[in-house]
Structure formats: C-alpha cells, structure tokens
Amino acid sequence: MIAAPSRTPVGRFAALVEQRLGLHYDPPQWGELESLLTERASGSGVEKYLEQLASTPSPAEWKALAERLTVGETYFLRHPTQLETLVDQVLPSFLRQTPHVRVLCAGCSTGEEPYSVALLARERGRVDASRLRVMGIDVNPRAIAHARRACYSPWSLRAVPLAMREQWFQRTPEGFALRPQLREQVVFEERNLLEESAAFWAPNSFHAIFFRNVVLYFPPEVIRKIIARMAQALVPGGYLFLGPSETLRGISEDFELLRGGDAFYYRLRPPAPPAPLAVPPSAAPQRAASSVSAPVFTPPTPPPPLEGLDGVLQLLEAERYAEAGTLLESLSQATQPMGLLLRAVLHLHAGRLSQAEQLGRQLATASATEAPAHYLLGLCLEQFGDERGARGRYAAAVRADPTFALGQLRAGTLARRAGDVVEARVGLRMALSMLPQEKPLYLALFGGGFGRHGLMQVVLQELQACTENS
C-alpha cells in the first residue's frame, strides 16, 4: 500500500515519491527527504512546489529527483556465483533452442552488472558473443549516462582479476574505460519500473532477468507488480536472479527456487495444466498408492535481524547500505569508535571519499580501530590514484594487526603492480596462509562480496601474475 499522505510537507513529499518512483521512506528516514525538499523548493516555496509536483508533474523534475534518491552501490563481478551460473548453465541451455539469448538487468545503476554479464560470457567461453543481447535499465538518467560512457574507477573494478582488467579495460586519465567490443554489446535505457509498457514487457522478451539488490527499496505491493511484469516478459522456463539476501516468499508463486553451488535463483514455473474432467468413481482406473513423493527444496531461513552495531554490520555485509545507515544514525553507539568505523565504511561505499578519509584519520589514532582505519585510508588513497600512499597505509594496517590478511593482500597486489615482485610474493603468501583465520569483522567490512574461498582464489591469481611477470 502506498504510504498514506501526511499533513506535514515532508510526509506529503514522501507519499509523492513513493507514488511516482516506488521508493518507500519510513518516518525515521524523512530527514533525507526534508533536506532535498527544502533544496528543490527554494525558488517557489515548499507548499507551491508540492502542489505543482502533485498536479502537473514535470518529467524533468522527477528525473532530477530520481538522480538524487536512487543510490548506485555496485561494482563489477558482484555476487560472482550467480553470474557464473548464468553464463555456464542458463544461457547455454537456451542457445540449444534459439539463435539469440536476451538478458535484462533491471535497476542497473551505472552499468557494472550488465557489462559483467557480457564480460564473463566472453571469459568463460560458453556463450557466443554474437548470440548474446544484454540490456540495462534504470530510472536515474545520470547513472544511465555514466553506463553509456563506460569509464570506471579502480574501486568499481576491485573484484576484477588483473588479467581480465588488462584484457577488457584501457587505462585513461579518468579511470578504466571498457574496450569498444565489450561496451557495444550492451544497450541502456532510462526506464521507470513503475510505468507500464506493454511493448517492453511483452511475452518472450527475455531469457533471464537480473533484479538484484533493488527489492529492498520498494514496498511489497510495488514489488508484486514489478515481479508479475517480469514473469510475463520471460520466455517459458526463464530465470530471475535476485540479490542473495532477497526472496520471493510472500511476493510471487510464479517461480521455483533453485540452487547451483552457492548461487540461489528462480525459474519461471510452467503454466498449470487444465483441471481434468470429473470421472465417475466406477470408471476411474485403480492405481496403487505411491508412498514416494517428489523432494521439496526448502530455502534456508534467513537469520533473525540483529540489534545495535551488530545489526548495522549484518546489513552492511548484506550490502543493504541505506538501511545500515538509517539504523546506525538511530543508535547511541554511533559516536563510539566502532560506530564511527561503520559510518566511514558506509561513506566509502557511497563514494563520499573525503568524509571517509576524515573519519579514517581520526580512527587511526584509536587502538581498537587502528588497523581497519589504516586499511580504509588505503582504499581511499587508491581511489584518489595514490597507490604508493595506499601501500603505506596497508603496511600500517598490518603493523597494527599482524594477522590482517586483507591488508597483506592489498599490499601485495599493489607491490606487484609497482614491479616489486619479491615483496609482492611475500605479502600474498602471508595473505594466503592467514585468510582461513581472517577476522569476520574485516571480511564483512572489506571483503567486497567475496568469502574466504573467493579471496583465496584472488590471492592465487595474483601470485600467478607475479610468476608470469618475473
């Protein structure tokens, strides 16, 4: 249900935002909306602005609001097991039946996800690039413009192995630009998921749809409508991928849940067969009752939400950054060192590097947060292009906590890039030996979506690169 209009200006603004963009804001989150409302209404006054927004909605104004209210927290090869399932299993199964396969990435933000599909399809070699069509859609026009430009920061490429980075990206003064053959394989559209379009959501339009880490921004009734449209647009037996912490339970009965390795995803159920005609009991054939029933897969029950800073950490690890920030601001512990560290990490994920760096410098002087603060400052310096300074911060993180495996990993990686192969090997081998015992806190804050096993694979790839370059 759309939020009931409130008598307060910010409450009415929240209702309009939800009605037009589908984004739901509870009263504790209205502080973010209030500052935006004040800014946008500065010329005409709040009451007149709200009246104009409700009676004669301006497409240009809603585009501006969408740019400010939709947050693009993404990076290349995010949740890689799902991407591997798509290109290794799902798409090849369709290519045996049709000349082309079509993948939609809904809520694609700045384009890393659809480009990851195209990149991994080429890397794995199971899908002919000429037979793959990838589309990304998002309501944020600035994000779509960024996606079409296809130039990204090192932070967006943090999960991309070196060999892939060198093959598919070109270093430019602005960052890393995708090579043309990959960029041209993906098309982007500015599109609001709440707006109906019979042509776009026509039956048999897509073989797979990615709708990851978007569900949490919408209320349930909006999600039901969007998922119903997606089910309509998929080919029979098509696939839907949600984020690891998202579920269709209570949302849709049109899909069955599947598991491949560590990846969970959904497949469109076939239409229910027509009910058989009633047969008189005397005419019905007699069959022996079967005691064997088809196995039913029951998805794991998500863990109950935690409270306090543990709850913030749980949300951060699930990449639910907006919720993590809202919860953190409501806690008295937000001003304690661990609360400030979590806030700094949230600044980093949102691209607010100056705020993250300021807090990191403050936290580096406290013993409880010294090691992760130095590591965070290293990540900031990498974003600023100062790899030498970043190496110094990673070394400081390891001095503060000699068991900090991720610090050894980043220091070793940057040493290899700088040509210091001996130092790189030492750091990377230390990281490999210490990762099985890495602190869960460090993995949650800085693992980048990788578990221990995935990070160990990254270390092995870096060690292989050291061998190749020596």
Side-chain angles (χ1 to χ4, degrees), residues 26 82 94 96 111 123 146 206 263 354 372 388 407 409 453 464:
D26 290 318
Q82 288 186 326
F94 285 117
R96 291 191 286 269
E123 281 287 322
H146 186 157
F206 305 104
S354 297
R388 183 176 180 179
L409 169 54
H453 177 73
Q464 179 64 30

Side-chain angles (χ1 to χ4, degrees), residues 208-275:
I209 296 176
F210 275 67
F211 189 45
R212 304 193 299 178
N213 307 296
V214 183
V215 168
L216 57 96
Y217 293 106
F218 297 107
E221 66 278 1
V222 172
I223 288 298
R224 289 189 187 96
K225 292 179 180 179
I226 295 173
I227 295 297
R229 285 192 197 129
M230 292 180 173
Q232 171 185 286
L234 283 168
V235 302
Y239 292 80
L240 176 65
F241 291 81
L242 300 181
S245 62
E246 298 168 331
T247 177
L248 290 184
R249 188 181 293 118
I251 298 294
S252 174
E253 299 294 330
D254 293 332
F255 295 86
E256 59 180 330
L257 181 62
L258 304 178
R259 179 178 184 176
D262 294 330
F264 291 91
Y265 53 104
Y266 292 88
R267 181 170 59 198
L268 189 64
R269 297 182 190 274

Side-chain angles (χ1 to χ4, degrees), residues 19-354:
Q19 183 179 33
R20 184 60 184 258
L21 299 178
L23 303 175
H24 177 71
Y25 288 82
D26 290 318
Q29 300 172 295
W30 285 1
E32 176 185 351
L33 291 179
E34 189 168 20
S35 59
L36 179 60
L37 174 60
T38 302
E39 175 189 329
R40 302 302 299 181
S42 59
S44 58
V46 169
E47 290 298 331
K48 186 175 181 180
Y49 174 78
L50 288 173
E51 182 180 342
Q52 292 174 339
L53 205 62
S55 59
T56 56
S58 165
E61 181 60 21
W62 281 110
K63 283 186 178 183
L65 292 173
E67 286 183 358
R68 297 291 297 275
L69 293 172
T70 53
V71 181
E73 296 153 337
T74 186
Y75 51 90
F76 280 89
L77 302 183
R78 188 183 190 185
H79 309 319
T81 54
Q82 288 186 326
L83 293 167
E84 291 167 1
T85 298
L86 174 78
V87 300
D88 288 348
Q89 301 175 34
V90 169
L91 298 184
S93 70
F94 285 117
L95 284 171
R96 291 191 286 269
Q97 312 163 29
T98 183
H100 297 97
V101 288
R102 298 174 297 279
V103 178
L104 173 68
C105 296
C108 70
S109 187
T110 47
E112 287 91 330
E113 181 179 79
Y115 284 133
S116 292
V117 171
L119 186 156
L120 203 60
R122 289 174 179 260
E123 281 287 322
R124 309 287 282 196
R126 299 290 304 279
V127 179
D128 183 346
S130 65
R131 301 174 65 186
L132 173 63
R133 307 286 186 268
V134 185
M135 172 179 281
I137 61 173
D138 200 277
V139 71
N140 188 326
R142 185 180 298 172
I144 291 296
H146 186 157
R148 289 172 176 156
R149 191 164 62 250
C151 187
Y152 297 94
S153 69
W155 185 243
S156 290
L157 273 68
R158 60 188 184 271
V160 179
L162 174 68
M164 270 193 216
R165 183 182 299 193
E166 292 180 345
Q167 181 174 2
W168 299 111
F169 295 85
Q170 293 175 302
R171 189 68 186 258
T172 72
E174 296 179 350
F176 290 88
L178 266 173
R179 297 190 183 275
Q181 64 268 39
L182 198 62
R183 186 176 68 243
E184 293 165 2
Q185 194 171 349
V186 183
V187 296
F188 294 94
E189 282 189 15
E190 181 189 329
R191 185 171 292 276
N192 188 338
L193 289 171
L194 269 64
E195 295 176 353
E196 296 187 18
S197 172
F200 186 83
W201 299 110
N204 302 316
S205 294
F206 305 104
H207 294 85
I209 296 176
F210 275 67
F211 189 45
R212 304 193 299 178
N213 307 296
V214 183
V215 168
L216 57 96
Y217 293 106
F218 297 107
E221 66 278 1
V222 172
I223 288 298
R224 289 189 187 96
K225 292 179 180 179
I226 295 173
I227 295 297
R229 285 192 197 129
M230 292 180 173
Q232 171 185 286
L234 283 168
V235 302
Y239 292 80
L240 176 65
F241 291 81
L242 300 181
S245 62
E246 298 168 331
T247 177
L248 290 184
R249 188 181 293 118
I251 298 294
S252 174
E253 299 294 330
D254 293 332
F255 295 86
E256 59 180 330
L257 181 62
L258 304 178
R259 179 178 184 176
D262 294 330
F264 291 91
Y265 53 104
Y266 292 88
R267 181 170 59 198
L268 189 64
R269 297 182 190 274
L277 297 175
V279 179
S282 60
Q286 299 298 313
R287 293 185 180 176
S290 173
S291 60
V292 179
S293 59
V296 177
F297 172 70
T298 302
T301 302
L306 302 177
E307 298 180 351
L309 293 180
D310 288 337
V312 177
L313 189 61
Q314 184 184 52
L315 290 168
L316 195 152
E317 190 171 12
E319 301 186 347
R320 297 164 64 176
Y321 302 124
E323 292 178 64
T326 299
L327 176 57
L328 180 61
E329 293 306 317
S330 70
L331 300 175
S332 59
Q333 304 102 305
T335 57
Q336 296 176 2
M338 187 53 63
L340 293 175
L341 176 62
L342 293 173
R343 180 178 294 171
V345 172
L346 288 169
H347 281 319
L348 179 68
H349 281 293
R352 298 185 291 268
L353 299 181
S354 297

